[in-house]
Amino acid sequence: FSAGCESGLVCVSLVGCHKWCLLMLIIQRIFDEAIVPDYSLEITVMQSAIDFGKNFLNSFFNKKDVDAVSTFLADDIIWITPNEIRHLRSVRSIHEFLREAIQEDPKVYNVDIASIRSAPGLETTTIAVFDVNLIPKHEESSINIRCTLAFHREGVGFEIVYVGMSRKYLRTDVEQ
């Protein structure tokens, strides 16, 4: 921890996983309290990250293809579910995790994005929160989740370095 950065802000200097966990907790707190600054100047970068995130969600929930899903992910990611926090540090561990997740819920869902909130993070990072309706192919009721993704800009593309999945919840009229 260090204070007195050039910007006049208090800076946190942690390593690896701890830095990302702290960043994600701060970002989730900002979104939970609906304090979303105006980042309209970042619209071109944000749009690309948002499209990347939409494609990831469709691959994960609709295609259920481990190889396709893993192409969106960095080789070292943090994946948080309501039941556990995983730091996946290799392509092999990411593939194993994805296979387990798909086996646990093999249903194919149509992905309906209800809302998106996004903000740039660090220099090469963008955070986006997707409120998602997962609609089963042969059932009428949808499953609602909130998914927070952190994207790292890599050259001209992105890779996901953090995935946070909420518990399933019922949408209310107030949220819409």
Side-chain angles (χ1 to χ4, degrees):
F1 175 84
S2 64
C5 293
E6 291 175 14
S7 64
L9 301 173
V10 175
C11 295
V12 176
S13 177
L14 299 172
V15 293
C17 173
H18 300 289
K19 178 173 57 175
W20 282 109
C21 286
L22 179 61
L23 174 64
M24 293 306 104
L25 291 173
I26 291 168
I27 295 299
Q28 282 184 328
R29 175 73 185 245
I30 288 170
F31 283 119
D32 288 344
E33 296 187 13
I35 304 169
V36 182
D38 179 14
Y39 291 107
S40 56
L41 296 176
E42 296 285 336
I43 194 75
T44 56
V45 172
M46 303 292 268
Q47 189 62 41
S48 297
I50 288 169
D51 288 340
F52 190 81
K54 287 178 183 178
N55 291 333
F56 164 75
L57 293 170
N58 275 302
S59 289
F60 183 69
F61 290 111
N62 187 277
K63 294 180 182 165
K64 302 282 183 167
D65 179 347
V66 171
D67 293 326
V69 174
S70 66
T71 63
F72 292 90
L73 304 173
D75 294 344
D76 183 348
I77 67 167
I78 297 174
W79 192 299
I80 299 177
T81 69
N83 301 322
E84 64 183 333
I85 298 173
R86 291 254 187 119
H87 186 183
L88 305 167
R89 295 182 175 102
S90 69
V91 173
R92 182 172 166 239
S93 64
I94 290 169
H95 277 126
E96 287 172 8
F97 173 78
L98 291 172
R99 269 192 279 283
E100 289 172 15
I102 290 170
Q103 285 175 354
E104 284 177 22
D105 187 7
K107 280 186 187 175
V108 174
Y109 298 97
N110 289 318
V111 177
D112 174 39
I113 308 290
S115 69
I116 303 168
R117 292 168 298 220
S118 59
L122 302 173
E123 294 173 13
T124 59
T125 304
T126 301
I127 312 299
V129 178
F130 296 83
D131 288 324
V132 181
N133 300 318
L134 300 176
I135 305 165
K137 296 276 185 188
H138 301 292
E139 295 179 24
E140 292 186 20
S141 60
S142 66
I143 298 167
N144 304 299
I145 63 168
R146 181 164 291 136
C147 180
T148 303
L149 302 176
F151 308 92
H152 174 74
R153 194 170 349 155
E154 189 66 37
V156 294
F158 291 94
E159 61 184 5
I160 296 172
V161 295
Y162 170 87
V163 177
M165 298 280 186
S166 73
R167 286 186 164 73
K168 297 172 184 170
Y169 66 93
L170 296 175
R171 185 172 299 285
T172 66
D173 291 337
V174 175
E175 291 179 293
Q176 298 178 358

mmCIF file of all heavy atoms in Angstrom, residues 73-122:
data_model
loop_
_atom_site.group_PDB
_atom_site.id
_atom_site.type_symbol
_atom_site.label_atom_id
_atom_site.label_comp_id
_atom_site.label_asym_id
_atom_site.label_seq_id
_atom_site.Cartn_x
_atom_site.Cartn_y
_atom_site.Cartn_z
ATOM 1 N N LEU A 73 -10.887 -16.048 -23.230
ATOM 2 C CA LEU A 73 -10.299 -15.923 -21.898
ATOM 3 C C LEU A 73 -8.777 -15.812 -21.943
ATOM 4 O O LEU A 73 -8.120 -16.446 -22.763
ATOM 5 C CB LEU A 73 -10.693 -17.137 -21.051
ATOM 6 C CG LEU A 73 -12.199 -17.400 -20.927
ATOM 7 C CD1 LEU A 73 -12.453 -18.716 -20.212
ATOM 8 C CD2 LEU A 73 -12.884 -16.248 -20.219
ATOM 9 N N ALA A 74 -8.249 -15.020 -21.010
ATOM 10 C CA ALA A 74 -6.799 -14.954 -20.815
ATOM 11 C C ALA A 74 -6.338 -16.310 -20.268
ATOM 12 O O ALA A 74 -7.146 -17.128 -19.827
ATOM 13 C CB ALA A 74 -6.452 -13.833 -19.844
ATOM 14 N N ASP A 75 -5.036 -16.542 -20.258
ATOM 15 C CA ASP A 75 -4.501 -17.795 -19.735
ATOM 16 C C ASP A 75 -4.445 -17.810 -18.212
ATOM 17 O O ASP A 75 -4.106 -18.823 -17.612
ATOM 18 C CB ASP A 75 -3.090 -18.036 -20.282
ATOM 19 C CG ASP A 75 -3.094 -18.268 -21.785
ATOM 20 O OD1 ASP A 75 -4.175 -18.551 -22.345
ATOM 21 O OD2 ASP A 75 -2.027 -18.147 -22.404
ATOM 22 N N ASP A 76 -4.751 -16.700 -17.575
ATOM 23 C CA ASP A 76 -4.741 -16.563 -16.115
ATOM 24 C C ASP A 76 -5.938 -15.683 -15.756
ATOM 25 O O ASP A 76 -5.910 -14.477 -15.976
ATOM 26 C CB ASP A 76 -3.427 -15.915 -15.678
ATOM 27 C CG ASP A 76 -3.281 -15.801 -14.168
ATOM 28 O OD1 ASP A 76 -4.273 -15.999 -13.443
ATOM 29 O OD2 ASP A 76 -2.159 -15.496 -13.722
ATOM 30 N N ILE A 77 -7.008 -16.303 -15.246
ATOM 31 C CA ILE A 77 -8.224 -15.543 -14.954
ATOM 32 C C ILE A 77 -8.750 -15.844 -13.556
ATOM 33 O O ILE A 77 -8.406 -16.856 -12.957
ATOM 34 C CB ILE A 77 -9.362 -15.823 -15.973
ATOM 35 C CG1 ILE A 77 -9.869 -17.255 -15.848
ATOM 36 C CG2 ILE A 77 -8.925 -15.522 -17.385
ATOM 37 C CD1 ILE A 77 -11.167 -17.508 -16.567
ATOM 38 N N ILE A 78 -9.604 -14.961 -13.090
ATOM 39 C CA ILE A 78 -10.343 -15.179 -11.854
ATOM 40 C C ILE A 78 -11.798 -15.354 -12.254
ATOM 41 O O ILE A 78 -12.344 -14.537 -13.000
ATOM 42 C CB ILE A 78 -10.168 -14.006 -10.881
ATOM 43 C CG1 ILE A 78 -8.701 -13.913 -10.482
ATOM 44 C CG2 ILE A 78 -11.082 -14.162 -9.671
ATOM 45 C CD1 ILE A 78 -8.340 -12.739 -9.654
ATOM 46 N N TRP A 79 -12.421 -16.433 -11.774
ATOM 47 C CA TRP A 79 -13.818 -16.736 -12.096
ATOM 48 C C TRP A 79 -14.551 -16.909 -10.778
ATOM 49 O O TRP A 79 -14.260 -17.814 -10.012
ATOM 50 C CB TRP A 79 -13.898 -18.010 -12.917
ATOM 51 C CG TRP A 79 -15.242 -18.263 -13.551
ATOM 52 C CD1 TRP A 79 -16.432 -18.444 -12.897
ATOM 53 C CD2 TRP A 79 -15.522 -18.376 -14.945
ATOM 54 N NE1 TRP A 79 -17.426 -18.660 -13.806
ATOM 55 C CE2 TRP A 79 -16.906 -18.621 -15.072
ATOM 56 C CE3 TRP A 79 -14.753 -18.301 -16.093
ATOM 57 C CZ2 TRP A 79 -17.523 -18.798 -16.307
ATOM 58 C CZ3 TRP A 79 -15.371 -18.478 -17.311
ATOM 59 C CH2 TRP A 79 -16.738 -18.718 -17.417
ATOM 60 N N ILE A 80 -15.504 -16.041 -10.522
ATOM 61 C CA ILE A 80 -16.260 -16.064 -9.268
ATOM 62 C C ILE A 80 -17.698 -16.475 -9.553
ATOM 63 O O ILE A 80 -18.337 -15.921 -10.442
ATOM 64 C CB ILE A 80 -16.226 -14.687 -8.580
ATOM 65 C CG1 ILE A 80 -14.782 -14.317 -8.239
ATOM 66 C CG2 ILE A 80 -17.100 -14.681 -7.331
ATOM 67 C CD1 ILE A 80 -14.624 -12.945 -7.623
ATOM 68 N N THR A 81 -18.175 -17.456 -8.799
ATOM 69 C CA THR A 81 -19.570 -17.864 -8.847
ATOM 70 C C THR A 81 -20.140 -17.653 -7.449
ATOM 71 O O THR A 81 -19.380 -17.376 -6.511
ATOM 72 C CB THR A 81 -19.709 -19.349 -9.245
ATOM 73 O OG1 THR A 81 -19.219 -20.172 -8.186
ATOM 74 C CG2 THR A 81 -18.982 -19.659 -10.543
ATOM 75 N N PRO A 82 -21.453 -17.805 -7.271
ATOM 76 C CA PRO A 82 -22.005 -17.661 -5.928
ATOM 77 C C PRO A 82 -21.438 -18.661 -4.928
ATOM 78 O O PRO A 82 -21.460 -18.431 -3.728
ATOM 79 C CB PRO A 82 -23.506 -17.908 -6.128
ATOM 80 C CG PRO A 82 -23.753 -17.548 -7.547
ATOM 81 C CD PRO A 82 -22.509 -17.953 -8.277
ATOM 82 N N ASN A 83 -20.893 -19.766 -5.426
ATOM 83 C CA ASN A 83 -20.403 -20.823 -4.541
ATOM 84 C C ASN A 83 -18.895 -20.864 -4.344
ATOM 85 O O ASN A 83 -18.421 -21.491 -3.410
ATOM 86 C CB ASN A 83 -20.856 -22.189 -5.076
ATOM 87 C CG ASN A 83 -22.362 -22.265 -5.175
ATOM 88 O OD1 ASN A 83 -23.077 -21.748 -4.329
ATOM 89 N ND2 ASN A 83 -22.841 -22.880 -6.237
ATOM 90 N N GLU A 84 -18.142 -20.227 -5.231
ATOM 91 C CA GLU A 84 -16.692 -20.352 -5.119
ATOM 92 C C GLU A 84 -15.960 -19.250 -5.888
ATOM 93 O O GLU A 84 -16.517 -18.603 -6.761
ATOM 94 C CB GLU A 84 -16.224 -21.716 -5.620
ATOM 95 C CG GLU A 84 -16.476 -21.940 -7.097
ATOM 96 C CD GLU A 84 -16.074 -23.323 -7.567
ATOM 97 O OE1 GLU A 84 -15.178 -23.938 -6.980
ATOM 98 O OE2 GLU A 84 -16.674 -23.794 -8.545
ATOM 99 N N ILE A 85 -14.702 -19.091 -5.522
ATOM 100 C CA ILE A 85 -13.798 -18.194 -6.240
ATOM 101 C C ILE A 85 -12.667 -19.066 -6.771
ATOM 102 O O ILE A 85 -12.032 -19.801 -6.012
ATOM 103 C CB ILE A 85 -13.223 -17.105 -5.304
ATOM 104 C CG1 ILE A 85 -14.345 -16.236 -4.757
ATOM 105 C CG2 ILE A 85 -12.173 -16.274 -6.040
ATOM 106 C CD1 ILE A 85 -13.890 -15.254 -3.696
ATOM 107 N N ARG A 86 -12.441 -18.986 -8.069
ATOM 108 C CA ARG A 86 -11.391 -19.792 -8.684
ATOM 109 C C ARG A 86 -10.372 -18.872 -9.353
ATOM 110 O O ARG A 86 -10.745 -17.945 -10.062
ATOM 111 C CB ARG A 86 -11.970 -20.701 -9.765
ATOM 112 C CG ARG A 86 -12.843 -21.799 -9.273
ATOM 113 C CD ARG A 86 -12.087 -23.122 -9.386
ATOM 114 N NE ARG A 86 -12.919 -24.250 -9.074
ATOM 115 C CZ ARG A 86 -13.205 -25.232 -9.911
ATOM 116 N NH1 ARG A 86 -12.742 -25.214 -11.135
ATOM 117 N NH2 ARG A 86 -13.936 -26.241 -9.534
ATOM 118 N N HIS A 87 -9.116 -19.144 -9.113
ATOM 119 C CA HIS A 87 -8.039 -18.489 -9.857
ATOM 120 C C HIS A 87 -7.480 -19.560 -10.782
ATOM 121 O O HIS A 87 -6.771 -20.464 -10.343
ATOM 122 C CB HIS A 87 -6.971 -17.952 -8.909
ATOM 123 C CG HIS A 87 -5.928 -17.164 -9.611
ATOM 124 N ND1 HIS A 87 -4.840 -16.642 -8.957
ATOM 125 C CD2 HIS A 87 -5.772 -16.782 -10.902
ATOM 126 C CE1 HIS A 87 -4.071 -15.989 -9.811
ATOM 127 N NE2 HIS A 87 -4.632 -16.076 -11.007
ATOM 128 N N LEU A 88 -7.820 -19.456 -12.055
ATOM 129 C CA LEU A 88 -7.419 -20.435 -13.052
ATOM 130 C C LEU A 88 -6.154 -19.922 -13.732
ATOM 131 O O LEU A 88 -6.182 -18.903 -14.414
ATOM 132 C CB LEU A 88 -8.553 -20.650 -14.054
ATOM 133 C CG LEU A 88 -9.896 -21.034 -13.410
ATOM 134 C CD1 LEU A 88 -11.024 -20.929 -14.413
ATOM 135 C CD2 LEU A 88 -9.829 -22.415 -12.794
ATOM 136 N N ARG A 89 -5.045 -20.639 -13.530
ATOM 137 C CA ARG A 89 -3.736 -20.119 -13.930
ATOM 138 C C ARG A 89 -3.147 -20.747 -15.189
ATOM 139 O O ARG A 89 -2.005 -20.467 -15.530
ATOM 140 C CB ARG A 89 -2.756 -20.316 -12.779
ATOM 141 C CG ARG A 89 -3.116 -19.513 -11.571
ATOM 142 C CD ARG A 89 -2.079 -19.719 -10.467
ATOM 143 N NE ARG A 89 -2.353 -18.861 -9.355
ATOM 144 C CZ ARG A 89 -2.928 -19.261 -8.237
ATOM 145 N NH1 ARG A 89 -3.282 -20.521 -8.081
ATOM 146 N NH2 ARG A 89 -3.154 -18.405 -7.263
ATOM 147 N N SER A 90 -3.921 -21.605 -15.857
ATOM 148 C CA SER A 90 -3.389 -22.228 -17.068
ATOM 149 C C SER A 90 -4.538 -22.567 -18.009
ATOM 150 O O SER A 90 -5.689 -22.679 -17.591
ATOM 151 C CB SER A 90 -2.610 -23.505 -16.722
ATOM 152 O OG SER A 90 -3.495 -24.517 -16.266
ATOM 153 N N VAL A 91 -4.200 -22.753 -19.276
ATOM 154 C CA VAL A 91 -5.191 -23.132 -20.275
ATOM 155 C C VAL A 91 -5.833 -24.452 -19.881
ATOM 156 O O VAL A 91 -7.051 -24.630 -19.997
ATOM 157 C CB VAL A 91 -4.552 -23.212 -21.681
ATOM 158 C CG1 VAL A 91 -5.522 -23.768 -22.694
ATOM 159 C CG2 VAL A 91 -4.033 -21.852 -22.109
ATOM 160 N N ARG A 92 -5.036 -25.367 -19.380
ATOM 161 C CA ARG A 92 -5.545 -26.687 -18.964
ATOM 162 C C ARG A 92 -6.577 -26.546 -17.849
ATOM 163 O O ARG A 92 -7.658 -27.139 -17.905
ATOM 164 C CB ARG A 92 -4.388 -27.565 -18.514
ATOM 165 C CG ARG A 92 -4.821 -28.951 -18.121
ATOM 166 C CD ARG A 92 -3.598 -29.848 -17.864
ATOM 167 N NE ARG A 92 -4.025 -31.032 -17.182
ATOM 168 C CZ ARG A 92 -3.577 -31.406 -16.001
ATOM 169 N NH1 ARG A 92 -2.652 -30.713 -15.379
ATOM 170 N NH2 ARG A 92 -4.027 -32.503 -15.441
ATOM 171 N N SER A 93 -6.274 -25.749 -16.819
ATOM 172 C CA SER A 93 -7.227 -25.596 -15.713
ATOM 173 C C SER A 93 -8.486 -24.856 -16.158
ATOM 174 O O SER A 93 -9.584 -25.146 -15.687
ATOM 175 C CB SER A 93 -6.573 -24.895 -14.516
ATOM 176 O OG SER A 93 -6.199 -23.581 -14.850
ATOM 177 N N ILE A 94 -8.350 -23.933 -17.110
ATOM 178 C CA ILE A 94 -9.520 -23.231 -17.651
ATOM 179 C C ILE A 94 -10.402 -24.219 -18.406
ATOM 180 O O ILE A 94 -11.626 -24.253 -18.209
ATOM 181 C CB ILE A 94 -9.082 -22.062 -18.560
ATOM 182 C CG1 ILE A 94 -8.460 -20.955 -17.700
ATOM 183 C CG2 ILE A 94 -10.267 -21.528 -19.371
ATOM 184 C CD1 ILE A 94 -7.754 -19.870 -18.493
ATOM 185 N N HIS A 95 -9.805 -25.066 -19.253
ATOM 186 C CA HIS A 95 -10.576 -26.072 -19.984
ATOM 187 C C HIS A 95 -11.284 -27.031 -19.030
ATOM 188 O O HIS A 95 -12.462 -27.366 -19.241
ATOM 189 C CB HIS A 95 -9.688 -26.852 -20.957
ATOM 190 C CG HIS A 95 -9.482 -26.159 -22.254
ATOM 191 N ND1 HIS A 95 -8.226 -25.902 -22.752
ATOM 192 C CD2 HIS A 95 -10.351 -25.666 -23.161
ATOM 193 C CE1 HIS A 95 -8.339 -25.279 -23.911
ATOM 194 N NE2 HIS A 95 -9.619 -25.116 -24.174
ATOM 195 N N GLU A 96 -10.591 -27.490 -17.991
ATOM 196 C CA GLU A 96 -11.200 -28.405 -17.018
ATOM 197 C C GLU A 96 -12.390 -27.732 -16.329
ATOM 198 O O GLU A 96 -13.455 -28.336 -16.172
ATOM 199 C CB GLU A 96 -10.166 -28.850 -15.986
ATOM 200 C CG GLU A 96 -9.152 -29.832 -16.522
ATOM 201 C CD GLU A 96 -8.025 -30.112 -15.535
ATOM 202 O OE1 GLU A 96 -8.093 -29.661 -14.366
ATOM 203 O OE2 GLU A 96 -7.059 -30.785 -15.942
ATOM 204 N N PHE A 97 -12.212 -26.485 -15.910
ATOM 205 C CA PHE A 97 -13.290 -25.749 -15.255
ATOM 206 C C PHE A 97 -14.490 -25.587 -16.183
ATOM 207 O O PHE A 97 -15.644 -25.797 -15.786
ATOM 208 C CB PHE A 97 -12.796 -24.381 -14.777
ATOM 209 C CG PHE A 97 -13.899 -23.523 -14.242
ATOM 210 C CD1 PHE A 97 -14.406 -23.734 -12.972
ATOM 211 C CD2 PHE A 97 -14.450 -22.512 -15.016
ATOM 212 C CE1 PHE A 97 -15.435 -22.954 -12.466
ATOM 213 C CE2 PHE A 97 -15.472 -21.724 -14.536
ATOM 214 C CZ PHE A 97 -15.975 -21.943 -13.256
ATOM 215 N N LEU A 98 -14.245 -25.198 -17.428
ATOM 216 C CA LEU A 98 -15.339 -25.007 -18.387
ATOM 217 C C LEU A 98 -16.082 -26.317 -18.655
ATOM 218 O O LEU A 98 -17.318 -26.336 -18.726
ATOM 219 C CB LEU A 98 -14.812 -24.413 -19.693
ATOM 220 C CG LEU A 98 -14.312 -22.974 -19.621
ATOM 221 C CD1 LEU A 98 -13.644 -22.570 -20.930
ATOM 222 C CD2 LEU A 98 -15.438 -22.021 -19.270
ATOM 223 N N ARG A 99 -15.334 -27.425 -18.778
ATOM 224 C CA ARG A 99 -15.977 -28.732 -18.982
ATOM 225 C C ARG A 99 -16.891 -29.069 -17.804
ATOM 226 O O ARG A 99 -18.026 -29.512 -17.984
ATOM 227 C CB ARG A 99 -14.929 -29.830 -19.165
ATOM 228 C CG ARG A 99 -14.539 -30.051 -20.612
ATOM 229 C CD ARG A 99 -13.722 -31.324 -20.792
ATOM 230 N NE ARG A 99 -12.323 -31.157 -20.459
ATOM 231 C CZ ARG A 99 -11.437 -30.564 -21.243
ATOM 232 N NH1 ARG A 99 -11.798 -30.057 -22.388
ATOM 233 N NH2 ARG A 99 -10.180 -30.469 -20.882
ATOM 234 N N GLU A 100 -16.399 -28.836 -16.580
ATOM 235 C CA GLU A 100 -17.211 -29.098 -15.384
ATOM 236 C C GLU A 100 -18.462 -28.219 -15.367
ATOM 237 O O GLU A 100 -19.559 -28.700 -15.077
ATOM 238 C CB GLU A 100 -16.390 -28.822 -14.115
ATOM 239 C CG GLU A 100 -15.304 -29.807 -13.837
ATOM 240 C CD GLU A 100 -14.411 -29.354 -12.685
ATOM 241 O OE1 GLU A 100 -14.796 -28.430 -11.926
ATOM 242 O OE2 GLU A 100 -13.315 -29.922 -12.535
ATOM 243 N N ALA A 101 -18.296 -26.930 -15.666
ATOM 244 C CA ALA A 101 -19.428 -25.998 -15.647
ATOM 245 C C ALA A 101 -20.485 -26.393 -16.675
ATOM 246 O O ALA A 101 -21.689 -26.347 -16.393
ATOM 247 C CB ALA A 101 -18.937 -24.575 -15.904
ATOM 248 N N ILE A 102 -20.055 -26.810 -17.850
ATOM 249 C CA ILE A 102 -20.998 -27.208 -18.899
ATOM 250 C C ILE A 102 -21.675 -28.533 -18.537
ATOM 251 O O ILE A 102 -22.870 -28.707 -18.772
ATOM 252 C CB ILE A 102 -20.287 -27.265 -20.266
ATOM 253 C CG1 ILE A 102 -19.945 -25.827 -20.704
ATOM 254 C CG2 ILE A 102 -21.130 -27.983 -21.307
ATOM 255 C CD1 ILE A 102 -19.030 -25.731 -21.904
ATOM 256 N N GLN A 103 -20.939 -29.453 -17.908
ATOM 257 C CA GLN A 103 -21.546 -30.719 -17.477
ATOM 258 C C GLN A 103 -22.580 -30.492 -16.375
ATOM 259 O O GLN A 103 -23.602 -31.158 -16.336
ATOM 260 C CB GLN A 103 -20.477 -31.695 -17.000
ATOM 261 C CG GLN A 103 -19.687 -32.317 -18.125
ATOM 262 C CD GLN A 103 -18.539 -33.184 -17.622
ATOM 263 O OE1 GLN A 103 -18.243 -33.241 -16.437
ATOM 264 N NE2 GLN A 103 -17.881 -33.864 -18.564
ATOM 265 N N GLU A 104 -22.314 -29.534 -15.474
ATOM 266 C CA GLU A 104 -23.260 -29.225 -14.407
ATOM 267 C C GLU A 104 -24.562 -28.656 -14.946
ATOM 268 O O GLU A 104 -25.627 -28.873 -14.378
ATOM 269 C CB GLU A 104 -22.653 -28.235 -13.404
ATOM 270 C CG GLU A 104 -21.652 -28.849 -12.476
ATOM 271 C CD GLU A 104 -21.037 -27.801 -11.544
ATOM 272 O OE1 GLU A 104 -21.641 -26.733 -11.329
ATOM 273 O OE2 GLU A 104 -19.937 -28.070 -11.028
ATOM 274 N N ASP A 105 -24.499 -27.868 -16.013
ATOM 275 C CA ASP A 105 -25.694 -27.278 -16.612
ATOM 276 C C ASP A 105 -25.592 -27.395 -18.131
ATOM 277 O O ASP A 105 -25.205 -26.456 -18.817
ATOM 278 C CB ASP A 105 -25.835 -25.810 -16.198
ATOM 279 C CG ASP A 105 -27.145 -25.203 -16.665
ATOM 280 O OD1 ASP A 105 -28.010 -25.945 -17.192
ATOM 281 O OD2 ASP A 105 -27.312 -23.986 -16.523
ATOM 282 N N PRO A 106 -25.974 -28.561 -18.670
ATOM 283 C CA PRO A 106 -25.834 -28.766 -20.117
ATOM 284 C C PRO A 106 -26.920 -28.093 -20.961
ATOM 285 O O PRO A 106 -26.832 -28.111 -22.185
ATOM 286 C CB PRO A 106 -25.910 -30.288 -20.255
ATOM 287 C CG PRO A 106 -26.719 -30.737 -19.087
ATOM 288 C CD PRO A 106 -26.410 -29.765 -17.984
ATOM 289 N N LYS A 107 -27.924 -27.482 -20.315
ATOM 290 C CA LYS A 107 -28.992 -26.828 -21.079
ATOM 291 C C LYS A 107 -28.427 -25.721 -21.955
ATOM 292 O O LYS A 107 -27.524 -25.001 -21.553
ATOM 293 C CB LYS A 107 -30.015 -26.188 -20.142
ATOM 294 C CG LYS A 107 -31.008 -27.122 -19.565
ATOM 295 C CD LYS A 107 -32.045 -26.318 -18.787
ATOM 296 C CE LYS A 107 -32.980 -27.218 -18.047
ATOM 297 N NZ LYS A 107 -33.893 -26.452 -17.204
ATOM 298 N N VAL A 108 -28.999 -25.604 -23.135
ATOM 299 C CA VAL A 108 -28.634 -24.527 -24.055
ATOM 300 C C VAL A 108 -29.634 -23.397 -23.843
ATOM 301 O O VAL A 108 -30.840 -23.618 -23.794
ATOM 302 C CB VAL A 108 -28.678 -25.031 -25.514
ATOM 303 C CG1 VAL A 108 -28.457 -23.899 -26.489
ATOM 304 C CG2 VAL A 108 -27.636 -26.132 -25.702
ATOM 305 N N TYR A 109 -29.118 -22.181 -23.697
ATOM 306 C CA TYR A 109 -29.959 -21.015 -23.449
ATOM 307 C C TYR A 109 -29.801 -19.983 -24.563
ATOM 308 O O TYR A 109 -28.701 -19.778 -25.072
ATOM 309 C CB TYR A 109 -29.551 -20.327 -22.144
ATOM 310 C CG TYR A 109 -29.716 -21.179 -20.913
ATOM 311 C CD1 TYR A 109 -28.636 -21.874 -20.387
ATOM 312 C CD2 TYR A 109 -30.944 -21.271 -20.271
ATOM 313 C CE1 TYR A 109 -28.778 -22.643 -19.234
ATOM 314 C CE2 TYR A 109 -31.092 -22.045 -19.132
ATOM 315 C CZ TYR A 109 -30.008 -22.729 -18.619
ATOM 316 O OH TYR A 109 -30.160 -23.497 -17.488
ATOM 317 N N ASN A 110 -30.904 -19.334 -24.910
ATOM 318 C CA ASN A 110 -30.816 -18.118 -25.706
ATOM 319 C C ASN A 110 -30.434 -17.010 -24.741
ATOM 320 O O ASN A 110 -30.950 -16.949 -23.617
ATOM 321 C CB ASN A 110 -32.161 -17.800 -26.370
ATOM 322 C CG ASN A 110 -32.474 -18.779 -27.476
ATOM 323 O OD1 ASN A 110 -31.603 -19.144 -28.252
ATOM 324 N ND2 ASN A 110 -33.717 -19.218 -27.544
ATOM 325 N N VAL A 111 -29.523 -16.164 -25.146
ATOM 326 C CA VAL A 111 -29.016 -15.108 -24.279
ATOM 327 C C VAL A 111 -29.664 -13.783 -24.665
ATOM 328 O O VAL A 111 -29.514 -13.314 -25.789
ATOM 329 C CB VAL A 111 -27.476 -15.002 -24.382
ATOM 330 C CG1 VAL A 111 -26.953 -13.861 -23.539
ATOM 331 C CG2 VAL A 111 -26.828 -16.322 -23.988
ATOM 332 N N ASP A 112 -30.396 -13.199 -23.725
ATOM 333 C CA ASP A 112 -31.036 -11.904 -23.924
ATOM 334 C C ASP A 112 -30.377 -10.922 -22.952
ATOM 335 O O ASP A 112 -30.504 -11.078 -21.735
ATOM 336 C CB ASP A 112 -32.538 -12.012 -23.655
ATOM 337 C CG ASP A 112 -33.235 -10.668 -23.697
ATOM 338 O OD1 ASP A 112 -32.883 -9.842 -24.561
ATOM 339 O OD2 ASP A 112 -34.129 -10.447 -22.854
ATOM 340 N N ILE A 113 -29.664 -9.938 -23.485
ATOM 341 C CA ILE A 113 -28.994 -8.940 -22.646
ATOM 342 C C ILE A 113 -30.022 -7.866 -22.292
ATOM 343 O O ILE A 113 -30.499 -7.142 -23.159
ATOM 344 C CB ILE A 113 -27.798 -8.295 -23.378
ATOM 345 C CG1 ILE A 113 -26.844 -9.344 -23.946
ATOM 346 C CG2 ILE A 113 -27.092 -7.297 -22.466
ATOM 347 C CD1 ILE A 113 -26.055 -10.125 -22.957
ATOM 348 N N ALA A 114 -30.383 -7.772 -21.008
ATOM 349 C CA ALA A 114 -31.391 -6.803 -20.568
ATOM 350 C C ALA A 114 -30.789 -5.414 -20.395
ATOM 351 O O ALA A 114 -31.410 -4.410 -20.725
ATOM 352 C CB ALA A 114 -32.027 -7.272 -19.264
ATOM 353 N N SER A 115 -29.571 -5.344 -19.854
ATOM 354 C CA SER A 115 -28.906 -4.046 -19.696
ATOM 355 C C SER A 115 -27.409 -4.258 -19.579
ATOM 356 O O SER A 115 -26.939 -5.342 -19.239
ATOM 357 C CB SER A 115 -29.437 -3.298 -18.469
ATOM 358 O OG SER A 115 -29.022 -3.943 -17.281
ATOM 359 N N ILE A 116 -26.672 -3.187 -19.872
ATOM 360 C CA ILE A 116 -25.207 -3.217 -19.812
ATOM 361 C C ILE A 116 -24.746 -1.920 -19.170
ATOM 362 O O ILE A 116 -25.200 -0.838 -19.537
ATOM 363 C CB ILE A 116 -24.579 -3.328 -21.217
ATOM 364 C CG1 ILE A 116 -25.090 -4.563 -21.949
ATOM 365 C CG2 ILE A 116 -23.055 -3.333 -21.123
ATOM 366 C CD1 ILE A 116 -24.740 -4.587 -23.420
ATOM 367 N N ARG A 117 -23.840 -2.030 -18.214
ATOM 368 C CA ARG A 117 -23.160 -0.860 -17.644
ATOM 369 C C ARG A 117 -21.670 -1.107 -17.807
ATOM 370 O O ARG A 117 -21.198 -2.204 -17.561
ATOM 371 C CB ARG A 117 -23.521 -0.709 -16.169
ATOM 372 C CG ARG A 117 -24.985 -0.336 -15.975
ATOM 373 C CD ARG A 117 -25.362 -0.478 -14.548
ATOM 374 N NE ARG A 117 -25.187 -1.887 -14.197
ATOM 375 C CZ ARG A 117 -26.014 -2.559 -13.424
ATOM 376 N NH1 ARG A 117 -27.029 -1.983 -12.892
ATOM 377 N NH2 ARG A 117 -25.798 -3.814 -13.150
ATOM 378 N N SER A 118 -20.951 -0.095 -18.216
ATOM 379 C CA SER A 118 -19.520 -0.298 -18.441
ATOM 380 C C SER A 118 -18.729 0.938 -18.050
ATOM 381 O O SER A 118 -19.248 2.039 -18.007
ATOM 382 C CB SER A 118 -19.252 -0.656 -19.905
ATOM 383 O OG SER A 118 -19.709 0.368 -20.742
ATOM 384 N N ALA A 119 -17.449 0.693 -17.770
ATOM 385 C CA ALA A 119 -16.535 1.771 -17.410
ATOM 386 C C ALA A 119 -15.114 1.305 -17.664
ATOM 387 O O ALA A 119 -14.805 0.134 -17.463
ATOM 388 C CB ALA A 119 -16.695 2.138 -15.936
ATOM 389 N N PRO A 120 -14.255 2.204 -18.113
ATOM 390 C CA PRO A 120 -12.852 1.808 -18.258
ATOM 391 C C PRO A 120 -12.224 1.658 -16.882
ATOM 392 O O PRO A 120 -12.586 2.376 -15.949
ATOM 393 C CB PRO A 120 -12.235 2.967 -19.036
ATOM 394 C CG PRO A 120 -13.143 4.114 -18.824
ATOM 395 C CD PRO A 120 -14.499 3.572 -18.533
ATOM 396 N N GLY A 121 -11.322 0.724 -16.760
ATOM 397 C CA GLY A 121 -10.611 0.523 -15.499
ATOM 398 C C GLY A 121 -9.233 1.141 -15.595
ATOM 399 O O GLY A 121 -9.089 2.335 -15.818
ATOM 400 N N LEU A 122 -8.231 0.317 -15.493
ATOM 401 C CA LEU A 122 -6.856 0.777 -15.648
ATOM 402 C C LEU A 122 -6.610 1.107 -17.119
ATOM 403 O O LEU A 122 -7.514 1.026 -17.937
ATOM 404 C CB LEU A 122 -5.901 -0.306 -15.162
ATOM 405 C CG LEU A 122 -6.096 -0.747 -13.704
ATOM 406 C CD1 LEU A 122 -5.217 -1.942 -13.389
ATOM 407 C CD2 LEU A 122 -5.812 0.390 -12.754
#
